[in-house]
């Protein structure tokens, strides 16, 4: 296939994509990144918490212990409360609820999925977001409202990290130990430790030598920059500021930095695709126009459409749904006609439009060329922003393109790219987070089940779960996670449905007074087989992609298929959970009653 109406030479582009991919392949792949531990522990410090906070250690017994106070933790706890479960404890590392929205307070942070479908329980709370894609403080505030609505503050232990979760076979209880000396005994544990929550730094040679000020975007240091989440960072005036990373975070924060810094150096390894956002205030009377049940209908509609299902209407109508409508197989008499060439062409023409947008906005031609992304649209999380590209027309902003190689070295004075040192006062790492690494690394704790088997050992040969939320051999232990589950663009949707399912099992378990509940081997094997069978297509696509966290930086780990998602799609996954809950027979689970 060579050309079409858009003048797209598909074969030439495939060659260009492959060339760009090869430039970026590295033998150290995921190992190029460092967690914020040991010599980098300072980077992990919470700038929003009281460093002198102290409290007495607790020794208590609860029905349910929830680890993490982000959306998933709030939803799990809120729904348990709704079901009348009173003895709940929530352990959270931060000093408040909010999860990702507690930590990510960089100026410009906003949700990248429409808030009407992203924020949970809008209908129950009667809340209407002020903007289509509101900023972090409003989202954090929504988390606080959820916590208040379900009276969760008295149940929370903030600034507390779970160190270990250990099963006591005799008592049929989990014993949870924390870094504040707590010992909590729980019948059930729900791990809501989040996705993309462990920040990572690139292991660039010399990273420890930098003598200026440095921090990760998820630990924004307003004491240094001045200002707040709305901007006004007066502390950066006259400063030479560098930022490494141009993913979703970099795109949102760079316009704010450009407005504040004396000079901003943007160190780019791979340009993101940046499409229009069209953000703006929501109509103040919007909620009045919606019928009861609107929130679920709107969410389902988006997840189905963006997940590739054919739905008669597009309720959200934004850049996400626009892309999908463009690249989806067309319908004939209600049946999808999958014409792989047509889909590929549509996807490439979408990316071409993104490149043309760069050329139309960015005046300097060399800079514009460097900002054009050359990879398949879904190889990386698409970005949307209305001010990002314009930033590169400012005289105080320099794009330092690393030609796919990344920053070469960091020195005491600054950052070196292609042999040239760029002196800096401040260096900001927008270098992302761990994604689907080993569970214990991702969750920052080890779980030890019956027979003293750790979850790490149990999953040595890859994850095995039922619906992504439970694993046989670890009774009464639940996870909110996307591995072996539906991977929705709107992650909160998946988390919401998983917590409904987990709460359904726990409340039923409490009602029946079970000692343990876990998946049967048969049900788990069947689910795992479905995941493995469906993984090949996505994995083959990811092989064609430029490195990034989606494809483990271009090097498949062992048992990669076991980290995969439910292939029929995120909405199909949600229907599986929904139907299963409706049946109310706990099929696929093995229950042992408590001894009397
Ligand atoms: P990403 O992992 O997407 O981006 C990391 C960036 O750092 C990439 O541009 C990467 O380049 C760059 N990088 C890494 N190492 C080097 C190096 N040695 N030299 C130069 N550059 C380097 O992290 P983000 O925090 O941006 O986003 C992670 C995810 O979090 C998003 O995909 C999204 O799912 C979520 N998110 C959502 C937001 C929202 O809803 N509003 C906002 C922010 C994040 P390269 O691409 O070459 O690897």
């Amino acid at each position: 296939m060579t050309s079409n109406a858009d003048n797209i030479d598909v074969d030439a582009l495939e060659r260009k994509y492959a060339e760009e991919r090869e430039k970026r392949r590295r033998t150290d792949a995921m190992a190029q990144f460092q967690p914020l531990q040991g010599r980098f522990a300072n980077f992990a410090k919470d700038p929003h918490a009281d460093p002198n906070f102290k409290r007495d250690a607790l020794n208590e017994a609860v029905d349910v212990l929830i680890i993490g106070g982000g959306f998933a933790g709030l939803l799990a706890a809120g729904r348990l409360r709704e079901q009348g479960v009173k003895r709940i404890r929530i352990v959270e590392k931060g000093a408040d609820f909010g999860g990702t929205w507690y930590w990510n307070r960089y100026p410009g942070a906003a949700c990248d999925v429409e808030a009407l479908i992203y924020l949970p329980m809008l209908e129950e709370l009667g809340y209407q977001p002020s903007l289509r894609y509101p900023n972090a403080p409003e989202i954090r505030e929504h988390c606080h409202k959820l916590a208040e609505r379900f009276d969760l503050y008295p149940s929370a232990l903030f600034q507390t990290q779970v160190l270990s979760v250990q099963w006591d076979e005799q008592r049929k209880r989990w014993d949870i130990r924390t870094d504040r000396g707590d010992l909590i005994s729980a019948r059930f544990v729900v791990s809501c430790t989040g996705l993309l929550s462990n920040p990572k730094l690139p292991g660039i040679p010399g990273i420890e030598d930098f003598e200026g000020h440095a921090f990760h975007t998820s630990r924004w240091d307003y004491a240094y920059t001045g200002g707040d989440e709305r901007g006004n960072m007066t502390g950066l005036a006259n400063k030479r500021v560098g930022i490494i990373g141009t993913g979703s975070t970099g795109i949102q924060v760079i316009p704010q930095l450009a407005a504040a810094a004396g000079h901003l150096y943007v160190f780019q390894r791979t340009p993101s695709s940046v499409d229009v956002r069209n953000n703006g205030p929501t109509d103040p009377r919007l909620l009045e126009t919606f019928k009861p049940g609107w929130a679920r209908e709107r969410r389902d509609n988006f997840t189905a459409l963006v997940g590739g299902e054919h739905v008669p209407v597009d309720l959200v109508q934004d850049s996400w749904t626009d892309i999908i409508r463009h690249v989806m197989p067309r319908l004939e008499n209600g049946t999808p006609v999958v014409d792989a060439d047509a889909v590929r062409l549509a996807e490439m023409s979408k990316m071409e439009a993104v490149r043309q947008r760069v050329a139309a906005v960015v005046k300097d031609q060399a800079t514009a060329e460097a900002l054009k992304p050359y990879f398949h649209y879904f190889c990386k999380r698409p970005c949307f922003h209305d001010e990002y590209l314009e930033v590169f027309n400012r005289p105080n902003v320099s794009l330092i393109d690393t030609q796919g190689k990344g920053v070469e070295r960091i020195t005491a004075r600054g950052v070196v790219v292609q042999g040239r040192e760029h002196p800096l006062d401040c260096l900001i790492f927008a270098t992302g987070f761990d994604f689907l690494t080993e569970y214990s690394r991702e969750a920052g704790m080890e779980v030890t089940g019956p027979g003293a088997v750790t979850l790490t050992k149990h999953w040595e040969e890859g994850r095995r779960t039922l619906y992504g939320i439970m694993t046989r051999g670890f009774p009464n232990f639940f996870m909110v996670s996307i591995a072996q589950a539906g991977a929705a663009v709107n992650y909160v949707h998946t988390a919401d449905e998983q917590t409904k399912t987990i709460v359904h099992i726990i409340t039923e378990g409490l009602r029946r007074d079970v000692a343990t509940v876990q998946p049967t081997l048969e049900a788990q094997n069947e689910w795992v087989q479905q995941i493995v069978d469906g993984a090949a297509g996505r994995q083959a696509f990811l092989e064609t992609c430029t490195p990034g966290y989606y494809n483990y930086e271009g090097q498949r780990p062992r048992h990669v298929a076991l980290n995969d998602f439910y292939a029929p799609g995120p909405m199909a996954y949600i229907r599986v959970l929904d139907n299963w809950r409706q049946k109310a027979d706990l099929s696929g689970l093995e229950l042992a009653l408590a001894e009397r």
Side-chain angles (χ1 to χ4, degrees):
M1 198 189 332
T2 48
S3 71
N4 60 69
D6 287 335
N7 262 339
I8 291 196
D9 185 335
V10 171
D11 298 329
L13 271 178
E14 290 281 14
R15 281 195 297 278
K16 170 81 174 156
Y17 287 8
E19 237 170 67
E20 293 294 324
R21 180 178 68 239
E22 289 316 310
K23 272 191 208 169
R24 289 167 173 82
R25 260 196 215 282
R26 313 164 47 121
T27 49
D28 54 0
M30 303 253 281
Q32 73 185 279
F33 293 107
Q34 314 286 322
L36 307 191
Q37 291 163 1
R39 61 201 171 120
F40 297 121
N42 257 350
F43 276 87
K45 277 200 180 139
D46 181 351
H48 320 298
D50 171 8
N52 301 315
F53 170 77
K54 283 200 176 53
R55 66 166 172 80
D56 293 336
L58 283 183
N59 192 326
E60 65 173 3
V62 295
D63 287 325
V64 188
L65 180 108
I66 295 165
I67 307 170
F71 277 132
L74 283 163
L75 287 165
R79 295 217 155 91
L80 284 164
R81 278 273 193 276
E82 278 183 327
Q83 295 301 319
V85 180
K86 292 199 178 69
R87 296 199 317 157
I88 297 172
R89 186 55 83 186
I90 305 155
V91 179
E92 164 57 51
K93 203 160 55 163
D96 205 333
F97 288 108
T100 208
W101 299 102
Y102 172 86
W103 296 105
N104 287 284
R105 301 192 193 199
Y106 58 85
C111 57
D112 71 350
V113 168
E114 191 199 54
L116 285 168
I117 56 168
Y118 179 73
L119 298 180
M121 295 197 172
L122 282 183
E123 205 170 343
E124 290 88 330
L125 269 65
Y127 178 67
Q128 180 179 322
S130 65
L131 295 171
R132 232 181 147 192
Y133 308 92
N135 293 100
E138 184 171 338
I139 303 175
R140 214 165 51 243
E141 188 48 38
H142 189 72
C143 295
H144 301 165
K145 281 193 197 119
L146 285 169
E148 276 152 16
R149 155 106 178 192
F150 296 109
D151 194 24
L152 299 179
Y153 276 100
S155 303
L157 293 180
F158 293 124
Q159 289 184 254
T160 305
Q161 200 164 348
V162 170
L163 297 178
S164 66
V165 179
Q166 192 155 8
W167 180 252
D168 181 323
E169 180 61 28
Q170 214 162 18
R171 288 165 38 242
K172 305 275 190 280
R173 292 288 184 273
W174 289 103
D175 287 330
I176 295 93
R177 288 181 171 76
T178 76
D179 64 348
R180 293 202 178 260
D182 308 307
L183 175 58
I184 306 169
S185 161
R187 286 181 79 165
F188 299 95
V189 171
V190 188
S191 168
C192 301
T193 50
L195 171 79
L196 297 159
S197 45
N198 280 339
K200 61 186 194 208
L201 289 176
I204 301 168
I207 184 167
E208 291 148 289
D209 300 339
F210 184 62
E211 287 175 358
H213 197 73
F215 55 88
H216 188 275
T217 45
S218 66
R219 302 288 186 275
W220 198 269
D221 189 355
Y222 285 106
Y224 177 82
T225 65
D228 57 26
E229 286 163 279
R230 282 162 302 196
N232 195 27
M233 294 181 283
T234 48
L236 296 182
N238 308 318
K239 295 256 165 52
R240 298 160 303 178
V241 179
I243 180 163
I244 300 182
T246 52
S248 305
T249 303
I251 300 307
Q252 291 186 340
V253 73
I254 283 167
Q256 306 282 335
L257 286 173
H263 199 96
L264 177 67
Y265 297 86
V266 177
F267 298 98
Q268 173 184 272
R269 186 162 71 179
T270 308
S272 282
S273 71
V274 187
D275 207 344
V276 290
R277 174 76 302 175
N278 276 333
N279 199 4
T282 51
D283 175 347
R285 312 199 64 152
L286 190 66
L287 287 196
E288 293 166 28
T289 65
F290 289 158
K291 295 199 191 81
W294 69 266
R296 180 172 187 167
E297 187 191 2
R298 194 172 178 95
R299 253 190 185 183
D300 286 359
N301 176 264
F302 178 87
T303 296
L305 199 156
V306 174
E309 291 186 20
H310 287 276
V311 286
V313 281
D314 171 4
L315 294 174
V316 171
Q317 296 195 29
D318 72 352
S319 295
W320 279 112
T321 62
D322 180 66
I323 317 163
I324 305 295
R325 278 188 286 115
H326 272 88
V327 303
M328 226 164 50
R330 62 177 199 284
L331 266 190
E332 264 169 31
N333 303 325
T335 311
V337 179
V338 184
D339 175 345
D341 281 346
V343 170
R344 193 162 64 137
L345 195 60
E347 180 263 315
M348 281 189 160
S349 90
K350 180 72 201 173
M351 203 53 150
E352 182 57 26
V354 166
R355 288 189 289 268
Q356 282 169 10
R357 180 167 183 247
V358 178
V361 176
V362 178
K363 297 197 173 87
D364 177 72
Q365 222 185 326
T367 306
E369 271 319 301
L371 285 165
K372 290 182 181 171
Y374 285 97
F375 48 81
H376 290 290
Y377 201 91
F378 299 106
C379 285
K380 285 179 181 272
R381 177 114 175 157
C383 300
F384 309 93
H385 210 285
D386 296 334
E387 289 93 42
Y388 175 70
L389 293 170
E390 187 65 46
V391 154
F392 295 95
N393 293 329
R394 294 176 64 115
N396 72 329
V397 176
S398 305
L399 178 72
I400 312 295
D401 183 43
T402 66
Q403 305 279 329
K405 293 294 170 212
V407 164
E408 195 175 304
R409 200 151 40 85
I410 296 180
T411 64
R413 277 164 32 102
V415 165
V416 179
V417 173
Q418 287 168 337
R420 179 165 172 213
E421 186 186 61
H422 301 271
L424 300 171
D425 301 300
C426 173
L427 179 56
I428 298 167
F429 292 97
T431 46
F433 305 86
D434 279 348
F435 181 71
L436 290 182
T437 53
E438 250 182 21
Y439 180 82
S440 56
R441 171 169 164 158
E442 205 175 278
M445 64 190 189
E446 187 57 276
V447 182
T448 309
V453 178
T454 64
L455 198 46
T456 308
K457 175 80 186 152
H458 180 63
W459 282 348
E460 210 173 28
E461 299 296 316
R463 294 181 199 233
R464 305 189 71 79
T465 73
L466 177 63
Y467 305 141
I469 59 175
M470 301 183 80
T471 183
R472 182 171 172 80
F474 287 71
N476 303 3
F477 183 82
F478 302 87
M479 294 150 286
V480 173
S481 165
I482 60 167
Q484 301 191 358
V489 161
N490 181 9
Y491 164 66
V492 179
H493 194 183
T494 310
D496 202 352
E497 298 296 321
Q498 288 186 331
T499 57
K500 278 185 199 164
T501 310
I502 292 167
V503 167
H504 173 84
I505 300 169
I506 292 177
T507 45
E508 204 47 31
L510 287 170
R511 197 180 65 78
R512 298 186 192 189
D513 197 18
V514 300
T516 59
V517 52
Q518 61 182 321
T520 64
L521 189 59
E522 194 189 7
Q524 178 168 290
N525 284 346
E526 205 179 295
W527 183 252
V528 170
Q529 198 55 49
Q530 285 192 64
I531 300 296
V532 172
D533 291 346
R538 208 179 73 89
Q539 290 306 326
F541 166 70
L542 289 175
E543 286 281 297
T544 71
C545 285
T546 190
Y549 76 81
Y550 276 20
N551 68 353
Y552 307 92
E553 304 297 332
Q555 202 178 83
R556 283 156 164 250
R558 274 185 337 133
H559 317 301
V560 70
L562 291 169
N563 270 353
D564 221 295
F565 312 131
Y566 183 61
M571 199 57 221
Y573 171 75
I574 285 166
R575 282 193 293 265
V576 167
L577 294 187
D578 206 12
N579 293 337
W580 184 83
R581 288 194 308 269
Q582 299 289 334
K583 278 199 299 173
D585 60 358
L586 300 186
S587 53
L589 298 183
E590 185 178 292
L591 278 63
L593 291 181
E595 281 174 26
R596 301 259 171 205

